[in-house]
Amino acid sequence: MAPRLKLFEWSDGFHTFTVAASSRLKALAAWGSSQDLFATGLAKEVDDSPDADAAKASPGTVIERKLDVKLPAASPKKGRTKRARQPSAADRKRVDDAQQALDDLDANYDEAARRLDDELQALRARREEERTAYEARREKLLARLEKARTKL
């Protein structure tokens, strides 16, 4: 005698899953669930279902049906609207102080950079003077060396 088939069904809110099986355990196995959906109340045994004929025609096969889900349109919350918080005098002072500190820093940096550029220009001029003096002295020493070599 073949076991009596029962209809079992559960839904995830978007689909309904129906199966014809001889027991809850076999229904859970068909659904591939490791959780007892019957204990949590998600699954139940049903007497009649829109998918009953299809499920009974192929026992152990899960019949999946999409549900028409209509969500209500979102509406804005009612109540008073929040006013934008105005900055306090202390907030404004902190911003002004920070801006002044930044401006002072920029001015100090510009002055220091200008002084360093002047020093660099002076060093380059001094280097050029040293190079000119070196070359003149070297020429004299080369001439003296040449003169001494010719006397050898």
Side-chain angles (χ1 to χ4, degrees):
M1 181 169 165
R4 183 175 158 260
L5 293 178
K6 302 174 189 174
L7 285 176
F8 299 100
E9 188 174 85
W10 82 279
S11 175
D12 64 359
F14 298 101
H15 302 86
T16 299
F17 304 95
T18 307
V19 67
S22 59
S23 68
R24 289 180 170 190
L25 190 60
K26 289 185 180 179
L28 290 171
W31 289 325
S33 176
S34 60
Q35 178 184 0
D36 187 357
L37 299 174
F38 295 100
T40 60
L42 293 174
K44 60 186 175 195
E45 183 177 346
V46 293
D47 295 327
D48 193 22
S49 169
D51 302 321
D53 294 336
K56 287 178 184 176
S58 56
T61 302
V62 177
I63 308 299
E64 179 180 344
R65 181 172 36 94
K66 290 184 180 179
L67 297 175
D68 288 334
V69 179
K70 294 186 180 178
L71 300 174
S75 61
K77 289 184 177 181
K78 294 184 178 175
R80 69 181 187 125
T81 59
K82 279 189 171 182
R83 287 188 331 180
R85 180 177 141 325
Q86 297 296 320
S88 68
D91 291 338
R92 283 192 207 107
K93 182 169 178 9
R94 276 193 290 275
V95 169
D96 291 343
D97 290 348
Q99 183 63 53
Q100 185 61 44
L102 183 62
D103 293 344
D104 292 346
L105 178 68
D106 290 343
N108 290 339
Y109 173 77
D110 291 342
E111 179 60 27
R114 187 192 55 73
R115 278 193 313 259
L116 289 171
D117 288 341
D118 292 345
E119 289 176 27
L120 182 60
Q121 189 176 9
L123 284 172
R124 285 184 176 146
R126 187 171 149 207
R127 180 177 182 218
E128 185 60 31
E129 290 171 5
E130 288 290 327
R131 188 182 62 76
T132 304
Y134 160 77
E135 287 176 356
R137 186 155 185 224
R138 190 168 196 281
E139 287 296 321
K140 286 181 184 177
L141 288 174
L142 280 174
R144 187 171 133 193
L145 178 64
E146 190 62 33
K147 186 177 179 183
R149 281 186 180 159
T150 56
K151 289 187 179 182
L152 287 178

